[in-house]
Amino acid sequence: MEVTDVRVRKVDKEGKMKAIVSITFDEEFVIHDIKVIEGEKGLFIAMPSRKTTDGEYRDIAHPIRSTTRELLQQTILEKYQEDTEGEEEENL
């Protein structure tokens, strides 16, 4: 499975969430609403989730293997950084 598209929508409001991402695989399957979050140790991704009846949040789509999660996180954060650097250059 190959990542064929990553679309980043930056969040303008203050807070820990920096962007919402959609990622496409093999030009056939997409996952929307992956969040880019600023944590204590830097940026990380949070998969789409839904609030359960007991008030907890559970991921509704997520990778099974840690290597797949690492690949998704690396790919998404690289695209986020590219977009952020591009915006900074435009503002100069």
Side-chain angles (χ1 to χ4, degrees), residues 25-89:
F25 300 95
D26 297 330
E27 297 180 357
E28 295 184 12
F29 185 80
V30 66
I31 300 175
H32 297 289
D33 297 332
I34 300 172
K35 297 166 192 71
V36 175
I37 299 174
E38 179 76 49
E40 292 179 11
K41 297 180 182 179
L43 295 172
F44 67 95
I45 63 167
M47 298 303 290
S49 60
R50 179 178 303 167
K51 192 173 186 176
T52 63
T53 55
D54 61 0
E56 292 186 28
Y57 286 89
R58 295 185 49 94
D59 288 350
I60 56 174
H62 59 87
I64 304 236
R65 295 187 180 125
S66 61
T67 54
T68 304
R69 182 175 187 80
E70 290 167 11
L71 174 66
L72 287 177
Q73 181 158 293
Q74 177 184 353
T75 302
I76 289 169
L77 294 181
E78 284 176 1
K79 178 67 172 159
Y80 173 80
Q81 294 294 346
E82 286 175 16
D83 288 2
T84 301
E85 290 170 3
E87 285 181 6
E88 289 174 0
E89 289 176 5

Side-chain angles (χ1 to χ4, degrees), residues 10-22:
K10 296 194 74 175
V11 175
D12 292 332
K13 64 182 182 176
E14 291 292 321
K16 295 183 180 195
M17 187 166 54
K18 301 301 180 188
I20 305 290
V21 177
S22 296

